[in-house]
Amino acid sequence: MQTKKNIAIIGSGLVGSLLAIYLKKRGHDVTVFDRRRDVRTVEFSGRSINLAMSNRGWEALRKVGVEDEIREIALPLDKRAMHVNEKPLYFQKYGKEGEAIYSISRGILNRKMIDLAENAGVVFKFEEKVWDIDLGEAKIFTGESERSEWKSYKYDLVFGADGAFSRVRHKMQRQSRFNYSQHFIDVGYKELTIPANADGSHKLDNASFHIWPRGEFMLIAMPNLDGSFTCTLFMPFEGEVSFETIGTEAAAESFFSEYFPDIKDDISNLTNDFFKNPTSAMVTMKCFPWTYQNTVALVGDSAHAIVPFYGQGMNAGFEDISVLDSLIEKYGDDWERIFKEYQNSRKPNADAIAELSYRNLVEMSSKTANPKFLLQKKIEKKFSEKHPDKWLPLYSRVTFSDRPYAEALAIGDEQRTIMEKIMKIDDIEEIWDGEEVENKILKALNKSELSFK
Amino acid sequence: MQTKKNIAIIGSGLVGSLLAIYLKKRGHDVTVFDRRRDVRTVEFSGRSINLAMSNRGWEALRKVGVEDEIREIALPLDKRAMHVNEKPLYFQKYGKEGEAIYSISRGILNRKMIDLAENAGVVFKFEEKVWDIDLGEAKIFTGESERSEWKSYKYDLVFGADGAFSRVRHKMQRQSRFNYSQHFIDVGYKELTIPANADGSHKLDNASFHIWPRGEFMLIAMPNLDGSFTCTLFMPFEGEVSFETIGTEAAAESFFSEYFPDIKDDISNLTNDFFKNPTSAMVTMKCFPWTYQNTVALVGDSAHAIVPFYGQGMNAGFEDISVLDSLIEKYGDDWERIFKEYQNSRKPNADAIAELSYRNLVEMSSKTANPKFLLQKKIEKKFSEKHPDKWLPLYSRVTFSDRPYAEALAIGDEQRTIMEKIMKIDDIEEIWDGEEVENKILKALNKSELSFK
């Protein structure tokens, strides 16, 4: 058992709330600060992509005993539904039988997590803005504005769970030898909605992650419990087809008629929402170190914000907390060691999932509509089913396993090299499921230095 | 002629002072703010690497008519002097006859530049700290501290010339879609001094840039006008031989005896200075955009801080100012266009010199002591002398030409690929100056798509 500490967590988002539950259950006094109003008392903002909970996320919830409550607000999606214009709807299984990602509304999940934390005895201070932090002293300073009177609080430990634009990290960033980068992609996103049918049922298959891949841009839709779908349009900010060029309701109308004729009439309030909802930016944020001595640590997006195209942002943040808790178990009161091992073990994995997420934008928006790419996936799937000990597809390793992200990236790259050669076989379309292809893959794997298990 | 503007420049360093002279000569009202004391009234800090002025720097000084005054405080260095243990001193010419880099003390140059700006009519406000800036309004806020009472000033244009840790950029960084990175290298540096002989003469050749390459670390020395040399020790912060492991005067003593026996006794106050002078960090800082509408622009290190291993930090900053001035000449009062073209033309070049500077650490500390590398340089030099229209060595293109840095990087990479093949020729040590090698290079150049002119 650890010595009881007085701990502040900055940020009441998903990762902050989960960490609060973990630390409270280990016997600490935990206070969570958030600059915003209690999310349980506000309307949702119209700027959230639905979340996809997968293995790492569930694992972290399970360990702290709250998995079942979250399962109740999640919908399993076991496949992609591909909406390619002038082609029939095409389904692509995510994994093996029984494997699925789970669609959850960010707002609903966040409210639930705060409830769970509060029930466990965590204290929440909403609408209290942290502006500065004394890293060595674990002291935080709050106030109405950056220039107003401030109040100070002294803790034993402070965790920054305050997201991509973290104030805690902002302070750490002023140290010499602190590495930091923020890189915005040129693609923005906008939330739209497909409401439920009159009888409360879903308008599209509710066990699928729907994608309308259109090359430079794409639309996705994920189901909600109430029969609606949360849609997200991803599109460049500037350029030929872009948010910039869709400036009028008529332009929005004709854009959807041209590119999304099958779904246009199902999206509610289309042209209205298009201009009412904000166009949001997406950022990859990296930094190091993540911790300061034995007093301060960053978790989740504040340490490693990623773009959403692998559906792993929350899962990676939740895994931070699992790992942190295992190290707490191992090292007890030696917080400096806990923090050091935490950042050293998580950093390469955070970098790897950042890279994989960035790459997946191209895969989702272009490649998923490409017959050659679909054939490649079929070959991989067949081989993997026959030789499960030799080939775990990249998506499955990331989504359905607990193997490190860094390993997934490395093995995925090796697999890609092998598949590039396979796809160059002249008559691959004809012989894809034959022995020759299978043997070629086996031979390539034998030569490889990485273990594919 | 442009309409007269009221312009603030934040930062009275080299680039800020030069920009002030340019803008004043174009008829604007120019005020320079600096948070520090007037550098003309303070002792130097013991943390500066001497500067190496080369073609781009001189060009920028010439265009604004102050070249001659700066020549007087500079010492030409036309070669590297390589101090490899147990080998005779070896000299390596930088370029063609008459080409040299110029050693200048940062402090002396900065004082001179401020004098020149003041004489031209620029107003300086020292010890006035800028904490915030209203980007759209070109308003700056100054005060004793971040939390004290602030004074505000309204300008037409504001330039951030406030270095790698720029406050102006700090404000721009809070915008969405602002890309930013700071990456510290694991190597630090420390200033040391070789004083003049009793008669005021230099203890080492004063027309050479002296290097003691030792693999993971190195010492350099550049001459000053007063007969002294400014030395800089570059060494990892941590590791087997590192600043961390040299913790006592005895350790410092034995470190210099082991690795720098030829110069140890010439360094004054060695063990004293080693602990008195700070160990400084080096950072590569990148960002984009560099400008805000028609009101704010970053110049020099605030837009693109680089590591010092190509001696191009100041030269790149000065070139920013030349380019900006050419665009002012071209577009007159259209400051938005001036700023847009300035950032678009300079950004790829800033990224290229950042990359080249980073790579040059390895070249300087390890490769310069490697016989194969020296042979390669000899082959390149011979070929370049015979075919000056076909091969300008990378170092010369960066240092002695005004071709864009991005071009230097691209062509340099192509040249490296060619030379890697040449160096693999079995008996290259014997036939290096023969026709076969020459023809091989010619053939490779013919196949290349890049113009090597």
Side-chain angles (χ1 to χ4, degrees):
Chain A
M1 193 68 187
Q2 287 184 306
T3 307
K4 184 175 184 160
K5 296 282 185 186
N6 194 15
I7 299 178
I9 297 173
I10 318 304
S12 71
L14 303 172
V15 175
S17 311
L18 180 66
L19 175 61
I21 300 170
Y22 267 91
L23 292 173
K24 188 71 211 174
K25 296 212 168 168
R26 287 211 171 261
H28 300 292
D29 283 334
V30 183
T31 306
V32 179
F33 289 81
D34 203 302
R35 54 198 309 110
R36 293 161 305 181
R37 275 175 61 192
D38 185 344
V39 68
R40 294 169 300 185
T41 68
V42 293
E43 259 197 88
F44 297 138
S45 67
R47 58 186 303 161
S48 174
I49 303 164
N50 265 31
L51 299 165
M53 185 87 70
S54 57
N55 183 66
R56 295 164 207 270
W58 290 123
E59 181 72 29
L61 294 168
R62 188 176 311 132
K63 271 175 70 178
V64 78
V66 300
E67 180 186 11
D68 293 343
E69 277 128 316
I70 307 301
R71 289 264 178 204
E72 284 168 22
I73 53 169
L75 280 169
L77 314 179
D78 63 354
K79 58 193 173 305
R80 285 175 175 168
M82 309 295 307
H83 302 253
V84 180
N85 270 343
E86 284 150 41
K87 285 204 181 147
L89 189 61
Y90 174 90
F91 294 98
Q92 210 183 338
K93 276 278 215 184
Y94 274 128
K96 293 184 300 212
E97 201 51 46
E99 286 179 336
I101 62 173
Y102 288 76
S103 175
I104 306 189
S105 142
R106 175 186 290 273
I108 292 171
L109 176 60
N110 205 158
R111 288 172 179 174
K112 186 80 196 168
M113 297 289 294
I114 293 173
D115 279 344
L116 291 167
E118 223 168 45
N119 294 344
V122 171
V123 175
F124 283 83
K125 285 178 178 280
F126 294 104
E127 295 173 77
E128 186 152 3
K129 297 172 185 152
V130 174
W131 294 105
D132 199 7
I133 170 167
D134 180 327
L135 299 171
E137 294 294 318
K139 239 183 178 164
I140 63 175
F141 300 88
T142 68
E144 208 31 65
S145 80
E146 200 161 0
R147 304 265 300 147
S148 69
E149 280 286 300
W150 285 352
K151 209 167 142 183
S152 79
Y153 298 85
K154 167 87 180 97
Y155 287 92
D156 300 316
L157 297 168
V158 175
F159 287 90
D162 45 348
F165 302 98
S166 168
R167 257 338 256 207
V168 179
R169 188 194 63 233
H170 186 264
K171 184 58 183 274
M172 291 172 76
Q173 199 180 320
R174 297 199 191 180
Q175 302 168 89
S176 186
R177 302 186 68 201
F178 186 83
N179 289 335
Y180 175 76
S181 71
Q182 61 186 46
H183 175 77
F184 286 85
I185 59 174
D186 293 332
V187 170
Y189 72 89
K190 192 181 284 288
E191 183 180 315
L192 297 166
T193 306
I194 298 173
N197 288 317
D199 66 356
S201 63
H202 287 91
K203 282 205 158 77
L204 302 166
D205 177 58
N206 70 1
S208 293
F209 181 106
H210 295 267
I211 310 185
W212 292 258
R214 296 295 182 265
E216 298 291 300
F217 54 97
M218 69 171 165
L219 183 71
I220 64 166
M222 294 175 80
N224 297 310
L225 290 174
D226 65 2
S228 68
F229 279 84
T230 298
C231 305
T232 315
L233 174 66
F234 294 95
M235 185 159 66
F237 283 104
E238 291 96 15
E240 211 186 314
V241 181
S242 68
F243 284 114
E244 189 189 48
T245 58
I246 302 177
T248 62
E249 296 204 357
E253 186 83 27
S254 91
F255 168 72
F256 275 86
S257 298
E258 181 172 353
Y259 295 107
F260 307 107
D262 66 324
I263 196 70
K264 176 178 167 278
D265 295 333
D266 291 333
I267 299 179
S268 72
N269 242 329
L270 175 61
T271 51
N272 189 24
D273 280 5
F274 194 90
F275 295 100
K276 200 192 76 197
N277 287 343
T279 305
S280 302
M282 287 168 283
V283 67
T284 300
M285 201 290 306
K286 297 180 181 179
C287 69
F288 200 80
W290 291 3
T291 65
Y292 185 88
Q293 296 170 2
N294 62 352
T295 48
V296 180
L298 303 174
V299 293
D301 282 2
S302 71
H304 52 81
I306 62 179
V307 294
F309 307 106
Y310 227 111
Q312 286 293 315
M314 170 190 56
N315 290 290
F318 278 16
E319 198 175 50
D320 286 350
I321 309 305
S322 305
V323 168
L324 198 56
D325 190 67
S326 307
L327 293 166
I328 285 171
E329 183 69 41
K330 198 163 165 192
Y331 297 121
D333 282 333
D334 190 350
W335 282 97
E336 188 155 1
R337 184 154 185 196
I338 291 166
F339 283 178
K340 200 128 266 175
E341 286 208 20
Y342 157 70
Q343 69 177 8
N344 290 343
S345 83
R346 291 305 286 160
K347 172 65 175 166
N349 292 313
D351 286 348
I353 193 60
E355 173 66 18
L356 288 167
S357 304
Y358 183 77
R359 290 185 193 173
N360 226 33
L361 168 59
V362 180
E363 172 159 335
M364 285 179 79
S365 55
S366 318
K367 291 197 198 157
T368 48
N370 175 336
K372 196 110 186 186
F373 178 78
L374 296 175
L375 175 63
Q376 178 181 324
K377 291 279 152 194
K378 250 161 67 180
I379 298 172
E380 280 189 63
K381 187 158 187 259
K382 184 173 180 330
F383 185 85
S384 167
E385 277 164 9
K386 187 151 179 201
H387 303 281
D389 56 322
K390 288 197 163 63
W391 194 284
L392 180 60
L394 174 59
Y395 187 86
S396 295
R397 195 181 304 265
V398 169
T399 310
F400 303 124
S401 92
D402 55 6
R403 302 299 305 163
Y405 289 127
E407 177 189 293
L409 176 63
I411 294 183
D413 280 348
E414 197 99 347
Q415 288 175 330
R416 189 183 53 184
T417 308
I418 293 173
M419 289 311 295
E420 275 168 5
K421 279 184 201 142
I422 297 295
M423 297 310 289
K424 278 187 191 145
I425 297 172
D426 273 346
D427 49 352
I428 187 69
E429 279 85 358
E430 281 80 56
I431 65 159
W432 70 272
D433 58 350
E435 236 177 70
E436 185 191 337
V437 170
E438 183 185 345
N439 287 335
K440 276 210 169 141
I441 300 177
L442 283 169
K443 209 172 134 193
L445 285 174
N446 276 337
K447 275 200 285 186
S448 165
E449 280 169 23
L450 287 171
S451 158
F452 282 78
K453 285 230 178 120
Chain B
M1 193 69 186
Q2 288 184 305
T3 308
K4 183 173 182 162
K5 296 282 186 187
N6 194 14
I7 299 178
I9 296 173
I10 319 304
S12 71
L14 303 172
V15 175
S17 311
L18 180 66
L19 175 61
I21 298 171
Y22 266 91
L23 292 173
K24 189 68 211 174
K25 295 211 168 170
R26 287 213 172 260
H28 300 293
D29 283 334
V30 183
T31 306
V32 179
F33 290 80
D34 203 302
R35 56 201 304 112
R36 292 160 307 181
R37 274 176 61 193
D38 185 344
V39 68
R40 295 170 300 185
T41 69
V42 295
E43 258 197 89
F44 298 138
S45 67
R47 59 187 304 163
S48 171
I49 302 164
N50 264 33
L51 300 164
M53 184 85 71
S54 57
N55 183 66
R56 294 164 209 270
W58 289 123
E59 182 72 30
L61 294 169
R62 189 176 310 132
K63 271 176 69 178
V64 79
V66 300
E67 180 186 13
D68 293 344
E69 276 130 314
I70 307 303
R71 290 265 178 202
E72 284 168 21
I73 54 170
L75 279 170
L77 315 178
D78 63 354
K79 57 192 174 304
R80 285 175 175 167
M82 309 295 307
H83 302 254
V84 181
N85 271 343
E86 284 151 40
K87 285 203 182 146
L89 189 61
Y90 174 91
F91 294 98
Q92 209 182 338
K93 276 279 215 181
Y94 274 128
K96 294 184 300 210
E97 201 52 44
E99 286 180 336
I101 61 173
Y102 288 77
S103 173
I104 306 189
S105 143
R106 175 186 291 273
I108 290 172
L109 176 60
N110 205 158
R111 288 172 178 174
K112 185 80 195 171
M113 297 288 295
I114 293 174
D115 279 342
L116 290 167
E118 224 169 43
N119 293 344
V122 171
V123 175
F124 282 83
K125 285 178 177 281
F126 293 105
E127 295 173 78
E128 185 152 4
K129 297 171 186 152
V130 174
W131 294 106
D132 199 6
I133 171 165
D134 181 328
L135 299 172
E137 294 293 318
K139 237 181 178 168
I140 62 175
F141 301 88
T142 69
E144 208 30 66
S145 81
E146 201 161 357
R147 303 266 298 147
S148 68
E149 278 287 301
W150 285 352
K151 209 166 141 183
S152 80
Y153 298 84
K154 166 88 180 96
Y155 287 92
D156 300 315
L157 297 167
V158 176
F159 287 91
D162 46 347
F165 301 98
S166 169
R167 257 339 255 207
V168 179
R169 188 193 64 233
H170 185 264
K171 184 58 183 276
M172 291 172 76
Q173 200 180 321
R174 296 200 190 179
Q175 303 168 87
S176 185
R177 303 186 66 199
F178 186 84
N179 289 334
Y180 175 76
S181 71
Q182 62 186 46
H183 176 77
F184 286 85
I185 58 174
D186 293 332
V187 170
Y189 72 90
K190 190 182 283 288
E191 183 181 315
L192 298 167
T193 306
I194 298 174
N197 288 316
D199 65 357
S201 62
H202 288 90
K203 281 205 158 79
L204 302 166
D205 177 57
N206 70 2
S208 294
F209 181 106
H210 295 267
I211 311 186
W212 291 259
R214 297 293 183 266
E216 298 290 300
F217 54 97
M218 68 172 164
L219 182 71
I220 65 166
M222 294 174 79
N224 297 310
L225 289 174
D226 66 1
S228 68
F229 279 85
T230 300
C231 305
T232 314
L233 175 66
F234 294 95
M235 186 159 66
F237 284 105
E238 292 96 14
E240 211 187 315
V241 181
S242 68
F243 284 113
E244 189 190 50
T245 57
I246 301 176
T248 62
E249 296 205 358
E253 185 85 28
S254 91
F255 168 72
F256 276 87
S257 298
E258 182 174 352
Y259 294 106
F260 307 106
D262 65 326
I263 196 70
K264 175 176 168 281
D265 295 334
D266 291 332
I267 299 178
S268 73
N269 243 329
L270 174 62
T271 50
N272 190 25
D273 280 4
F274 193 89
F275 295 101
K276 199 192 77 196
N277 288 344
T279 305
S280 303
M282 286 168 283
V283 68
T284 299
M285 201 288 308
K286 296 179 181 181
C287 68
F288 200 80
W290 291 4
T291 65
Y292 186 88
Q293 295 170 1
N294 61 353
T295 47
V296 180
L298 303 174
V299 292
D301 282 3
S302 71
H304 51 81
I306 61 180
V307 294
F309 307 106
Y310 227 111
Q312 286 294 315
M314 169 190 56
N315 290 289
F318 278 16
E319 199 176 50
D320 287 349
I321 309 304
S322 305
V323 168
L324 198 55
D325 190 67
S326 307
L327 294 166
I328 285 171
E329 183 69 39
K330 198 164 165 192
Y331 297 120
D333 281 334
D334 191 349
W335 282 97
E336 188 155 0
R337 184 152 186 198
I338 292 166
F339 282 179
K340 200 128 266 176
E341 286 209 18
Y342 157 71
Q343 70 178 6
N344 289 342
S345 82
R346 291 304 288 160
K347 173 64 175 166
N349 292 314
D351 286 348
I353 193 61
E355 174 65 19
L356 288 167
S357 303
Y358 183 76
R359 291 185 193 173
N360 227 32
L361 168 59
V362 180
E363 172 159 336
M364 285 179 78
S365 55
S366 318
K367 291 195 198 159
T368 48
N370 175 335
K372 195 112 184 187
F373 177 77
L374 296 176
L375 176 62
Q376 178 182 324
K377 290 279 154 194
K378 249 161 68 178
I379 298 171
E380 280 190 62
K381 187 159 187 257
K382 185 174 177 334
F383 185 84
S384 167
E385 277 164 7
K386 187 152 177 199
H387 303 282
D389 57 321
K390 290 197 162 66
W391 194 285
L392 180 60
L394 174 59
Y395 187 86
S396 295
R397 195 182 305 265
V398 169
T399 310
F400 302 124
S401 92
D402 55 7
R403 303 299 306 164
Y405 288 128
E407 177 190 293
L409 177 62
I411 294 184
D413 281 350
E414 197 100 344
Q415 289 175 330
R416 189 183 53 186
T417 308
I418 293 172
M419 290 310 296
E420 275 168 4
K421 281 184 200 141
I422 297 295
M423 296 311 290
K424 278 185 190 145
I425 298 172
D426 273 345
D427 48 352
I428 186 68
E429 279 85 359
E430 281 81 55
I431 65 160
W432 70 272
D433 58 351
E435 235 177 70
E436 185 192 336
V437 170
E438 184 185 343
N439 287 335
K440 276 209 167 140
I441 300 177
L442 282 169
K443 209 172 135 194
L445 284 175
N446 276 336
K447 274 199 285 186
S448 165
E449 280 169 26
L450 286 172
S451 158
F452 282 78
K453 286 229 178 122

